[in-house]
Amino acid sequence: MVQSSTPLFAPKTSGDHADRFLAGLSPYVRSTHDFPTEAGFDLRPRVVSDHAFLYFKDGEGTFTVAGVDHPILPGTLFLIRPGVEHAVSPRSGSLYYMLNMHLDVVQRPGSDLLDGYQRPSAAYLRRIAPDILPDGPTGLPSVIRMPNPASYEHLFFRIHHHFAMRDPASRLRVKAGAIDLIAFLFAVGSRLDRRLGPTAEAVEAAARFIQEHASGRLGLAEIARQAAMSRSHFARSFKHHYQVSPMAYLRQVLIERAKMELMYDHRTIKHIAESLGYSTVHHFTRVFAEAVGMPPGAYREL
């Protein structure tokens, strides 16, 4: 669910400018961080000079953006643009697991020399304004609850993996990965309805249930019970909200998790298939190949 209509990218620009910007889009990723926080972690009010993509894989609390408080829940992404004050206040006893990335959405001369954590000057903000994505109908909100966190996490970890390698091929993959991630966020934003009613809230709760209990053994009847709907009504409502059926959504979650495990987990494919709830490795291989276009073993070698 999109929590706020506050745009990440400003100022407003014409469609022609947006087209010129997208034609020259070449992000510069300054840093990536994959870390669990310690007890008592907070983030004092601060302003940064680059774009900060701050994603909470786990933990609860309050995130303040430009003076507006937003709840922190697992699977929430906060998109902070240069010059916008933000802060984090954890819920008592809550520990965070965060996936963070700082970047310039358009690489400029001197991007590699900029300290993104410094407070930007007014002159700097005016200078980078032409390089910032437009807001309005084609922009991105400041707060996004991911309908499928596994997809975002896979894109992030692909960038994070290559960021640690400084060879030219890896640097190009980081840049390409950042473009993929921005495109993914636009796709997510275009699908989400900002005016949620009880049915949509029940469907989103069921989607979270899928994410938390994803397994090849999970069936439609069990998912529909989480939304307190009949299977047929739930299937129609879910597809209206997410543009895919509940079982296709479940397969997508499982495939994204399988991709991550194939990339970062050294267990055998048979063990990965079992951990994801597939009855046999042959069934897992067939489903994976249909979705990805190659078998798991070939994907692991990429």
Side-chain angles (χ1 to χ4, degrees), residues 79-115:
L79 308 178
I80 309 302
R81 69 178 185 266
V84 174
E85 186 174 85
H86 54 285
V88 174
S89 301
R91 177 174 293 180
S92 178
S94 180
L95 299 177
Y96 293 128
Y97 182 7
M98 300 178 67
L99 309 178
N100 298 342
M101 180 169 65
H102 285 257
L103 72 157
D104 295 341
V105 293
V106 174
Q107 184 167 355
R108 299 171 55 87
S111 281
D112 57 334
L113 303 176
L114 175 70
D115 178 1

Side-chain angles (χ1 to χ4, degrees), residues 149-252:
S151 294
Y152 179 87
E153 291 164 15
H154 172 72
L155 289 169
F156 171 85
F157 278 116
R158 190 171 66 182
I159 297 169
H160 185 61
H161 172 73
H162 291 296
F163 186 82
M165 308 173 190
R166 305 308 297 172
D167 61 282
S170 295
R171 290 164 61 189
L172 186 59
R173 290 189 178 103
V174 167
K175 193 179 292 288
I179 293 174
D180 280 348
L181 188 143
I182 292 171
F184 169 79
L185 293 177
F186 273 105
V188 168
S190 69
R191 291 196 302 265
L192 296 179
D193 185 349
R194 301 183 187 203
R195 298 177 299 279
L196 294 180
T199 298
E201 290 177 355
V203 166
E204 287 209 342
R208 289 193 294 274
F209 177 82
I210 292 174
Q211 295 155 19
E212 294 167 3
H213 300 86
S215 166
R217 294 183 291 271
L218 188 60
L220 178 61
E222 185 176 357
I223 301 170
R225 280 197 296 272
Q226 303 302 313
M229 299 180 190
S230 68
R231 286 185 295 177
S232 58
H233 179 45
F234 171 70
R236 288 193 302 271
S237 299
F238 194 99
K239 188 165 186 177
H240 174 75
H241 194 67
Y242 288 111
Q243 287 76 55
V244 295
S245 71
M247 300 313 291
Y249 184 93
L250 171 61
R251 284 193 296 273
Q252 182 182 2

Side-chain angles (χ1 to χ4, degrees), residues 214-217 254 257-258 261 265 267-278:
S215 166
R217 294 183 291 271
L254 289 170
R257 290 186 181 172
E261 294 195 16
D265 194 320
R267 291 182 300 168
T268 66
I269 293 174
K270 181 176 184 293
H271 285 156
I272 290 174
E274 290 173 350
S275 72
L276 294 173
Y278 287 95

